[in-house]
Amino acid sequence: MEVRQITDPADLRIIREIAGRVWPETFAAILSPAQIAYMMKMMYAPEVLAAELARGYIFEVLYVDGISVGYAVHSRYEARPDTAKLHKIYLLGDYQGRGLGSQLLNHVIRRSAEAGYRYLRLNVNKENVKAQKAYLRNGFNIVEAVKIDIGNGFVMDDYVMEKVL
């Protein structure tokens, strides 16, 4: 297992490729196909990812035997300077259940602590019980419930989870 940070905007295509495979699998039972397509465009369009990279978001790709199998995206949480925000973390289905997701999450936790943050915060869909359990196993707690209007008649109905670093 190796984690590599993306610094070249051209390499953001790796994130888009993995997301294009993971998102339909992960959210098929939770979100409508229309909402998945809308959110993919909203969150993974090349210009969106490039703007996030330019703003200081950290994009990291997980490789197993030289194959890109997952990614994490994190940054400073704008609302609280002592807090990092995990925006995205996904792993291809064939690689789930091997502890790789927890290793990638713990990599982000370590990097956040090393950067001086006291907390790591994330949002998780209320229906994504599998992810919630993984976060709970890794020391996160639910701190609030939110509904975020993302436009086009769609909302993100999430729990906000946080871990003390």
Side-chain angles (χ1 to χ4, degrees):
M1 179 190 119
E2 178 186 10
V3 179
R4 292 185 219 151
Q5 183 173 339
I6 290 176
T7 56
D8 183 347
D11 291 336
L12 292 168
R13 65 174 170 66
I14 299 166
I15 302 287
R16 286 192 308 279
E17 289 168 5
I18 296 170
R21 292 174 57 193
V22 169
W23 264 68
E25 273 179 25
T26 302
F27 295 107
I30 298 172
L31 305 174
S32 71
Q35 184 166 351
I36 292 171
Y38 177 78
M39 291 180 72
M40 285 293 298
K41 185 174 182 180
M42 179 187 85
M43 295 169 54
Y44 291 98
E47 62 275 10
V48 171
L49 295 179
E52 290 174 344
L53 184 64
R55 283 199 320 266
Y57 282 34
I58 298 167
F59 287 80
E60 297 184 291
V61 179
L62 174 67
Y63 291 87
V64 174
D65 298 325
I67 301 167
S68 54
V69 302
Y71 61 92
V73 181
H74 52 101
S75 72
R76 179 177 165 274
Y77 182 52
E78 296 300 323
R80 287 180 21 201
D82 65 346
T83 303
K85 171 81 181 214
L86 177 59
H87 300 278
K88 304 170 178 84
I89 186 167
Y90 292 97
L91 188 64
L92 292 174
D94 292 345
Y95 292 86
Q96 294 177 9
R98 301 183 192 182
L100 294 169
S102 287
Q103 288 180 50
L104 181 56
L105 179 60
N106 282 306
H107 169 83
V108 173
I109 290 166
R110 274 191 310 278
R111 284 209 60 186
S112 299
E114 288 167 0
Y117 294 109
R118 294 186 57 224
Y119 305 93
L120 179 61
R121 185 171 266 231
L122 59 87
N123 285 34
V124 60
N125 186 290
K126 287 179 183 174
E127 300 296 318
N128 194 346
V129 176
K130 183 177 176 183
Q132 291 170 33
K133 287 180 181 178
Y135 295 132
L136 290 168
R137 273 194 317 271
N138 282 282
F140 285 80
N141 293 300
I142 295 171
V143 294
E144 67 180 300
V146 295
K147 286 190 181 182
I148 303 163
D149 183 343
I150 58 170
N152 213 35
F154 298 118
V155 296
M156 292 186 348
D157 192 13
D158 292 349
Y159 289 123
V160 177
M161 300 184 80
E162 188 172 86
K163 177 181 176 71
V164 177
L165 302 178

